[in-house]
Amino acid sequence: MPHESPSITVRPLAGAVGAEVAGVDLAGDPDDATVAALRRIWLDHGVIFFRDQDLPPARLLAFARRFGEVIEYPFLRGLDGFPEIIPVVKLPHERTNFGGVWHSDTAYLDIPPMATMLVAREVPPHGGDTLFACQTAAYEALSDGMKRLLAGLQAVNSSARADVSRTREDRMRDSGRSDAPKEYTATHPVVRTHPETGRRSLYINRAHTAAFAEMTEAESAPLLDYLFDHQVRPEFTCRFRWQPGSLAFWDNRRVLHNPVNDYHGFRRVMHRVTLAGTRPR
Ligand code: OGA
Ligand code: MN
């Protein structure tokens, strides 16, 4: 697809999702045509990656605001002076990594975020990659019968599922928000339609989705477990290797992500911003 900024290059990372974008300085106040081109590239690829970007907090926020309204994360305090930016940190002695289960960000909110931007500040010498999985590809690979079955279903998403709650504990201890509620739950369609592309995608995930609406967890588990495995099949995924100054910008309406926890003994520090979304439909 042609883009009007001729200097921008797009290199897909895998078949279904993810592309590295070069030739643009995100801190250099890109013009409206460049931002529009980036938005189209982002919608085409689901998650885009930039390298060697000089984006200290104020500039990260300024860039993020070109794409939407920046919102705060309910469980953790942000950086001093920048409540919208949360540090995503794993320290050398820690064993769990924040968000280390396949998920879409805060899917337990009634209005979950459209997008997330994550910029790497300090990375381990090896490991600490992040995986992404395209939920449009996952949905489209299902049989017609399964698509029909899922079309009418809603699912309950919770912030309090044990596996993902554990991944927040280290940070809740040092930067938890005292005003955070105990649990959020939200019911969303199992298959959502992307408000910008019109394409359908699976909108459940192993970290947050507890059950189909009006069914028990036991009744839901067999089909949910099947879908949790299906939705992250290798051919729907890509994998990103971070360097300091790398930025990932993903579409929570279309992709899941999962940071790989393979760097015990090393420190990894990222800064995260999320952008407001709309109610999934
Ligand atoms: C997040 C998250 C991914 C990572 O910040 O939402 O899931 O690579 N982190 O640290
Ligand atoms: Mn996440």
Side-chain angles (χ1 to χ4, degrees):
M1 180 188 298
H3 301 290
E4 55 256 52
S5 298
S7 59
I8 298 180
T9 61
V10 179
R11 190 172 62 89
L13 253 68
V17 73
E20 227 173 285
V21 178
V24 48
D25 172 17
L26 305 184
D29 200 17
D31 60 20
D32 289 347
T34 301
V35 170
L38 292 176
R39 190 168 192 112
R40 274 199 308 280
I41 296 165
W42 177 64
L43 290 171
D44 284 348
H45 294 279
V47 53
I48 55 178
F49 307 99
F50 301 86
R51 297 218 180 256
D52 303 317
Q53 299 294 324
D54 180 23
L55 290 170
R59 269 193 247 167
L60 172 62
L61 279 179
F63 177 65
R65 290 197 167 109
R66 303 294 299 277
F67 292 87
E69 180 201 345
V70 168
I71 52 176
E72 292 183 28
Y73 179 65
F75 288 105
L76 299 179
R77 287 196 308 275
L79 299 179
D80 281 347
F82 300 97
E84 311 92 336
I85 301 180
I86 61 156
V88 171
V89 177
K90 181 168 178 258
L91 301 174
H93 66 275
E94 292 175 344
R95 303 300 287 181
T96 53
N97 62 336
F98 179 80
V101 187
W102 280 106
H103 65 282
S104 176
D105 284 325
T106 52
Y108 43 77
L109 299 179
D110 284 328
I111 311 225
M114 165 182 84
T116 303
M117 288 185 187
L118 192 67
V119 60
R121 304 296 188 203
E122 286 179 56
V123 299
H126 46 74
D129 295 356
T130 305
L131 309 174
F132 296 86
C134 179
Q135 298 309 293
T136 303
Y139 171 75
E140 288 173 357
L142 295 169
S143 66
D144 290 343
M146 181 60 78
K147 286 180 185 146
R148 267 196 301 278
L149 173 66
L150 297 181
L153 292 180
Q154 306 257 326
V156 179
N157 295 275
S158 162
S159 63
R161 313 248 309 145
D163 287 353
V164 75
S165 299
R166 249 193 305 279
T167 78
R168 271 183 231 120
E169 277 169 8
D170 288 327
R171 289 293 74 73
M172 294 290 279
R173 258 192 300 277
D174 55 36
S175 41
R177 285 170 68 138
S178 50
D179 58 348
K182 231 183 149 60
E183 179 181 5
Y184 287 94
T185 62
T187 300
H188 294 308
V190 170
V191 177
R192 69 182 292 181
T193 303
H194 197 289
E196 294 182 78
T197 67
R199 293 179 75 179
R200 293 194 176 92
S201 57
L202 279 178
Y203 193 64
I204 51 165
N205 72 78
R206 200 182 284 281
H208 303 137
T209 308
F212 295 111
E214 298 170 7
M215 293 189 212
T216 66
E217 290 197 18
E219 288 167 338
S220 307
L223 180 50
L224 279 181
D225 280 338
Y226 168 78
L227 293 170
F228 293 154
D229 289 341
H230 166 83
Q231 70 183 165
V232 298
R233 273 166 39 184
E235 63 270 34
F236 309 144
T237 71
C238 71
R239 177 173 185 135
F240 185 63
R241 170 116 201 237
W242 298 91
Q243 296 164 325
S246 301
L247 178 130
F249 174 24
W250 64 82
D251 187 338
N252 283 304
R253 303 166 297 186
R254 166 170 167 197
V255 303
L256 300 185
H257 57 282
N258 185 4
V260 181
N261 191 8
D262 61 350
Y263 55 98
H264 297 327
F266 297 105
R267 193 180 144 91
R268 180 176 182 272
V269 178
M270 324 288 275
H271 285 171
R272 179 178 106 152
V273 170
T274 52
L275 297 173
T278 52
R279 185 181 296 281
R281 293 190 192 285

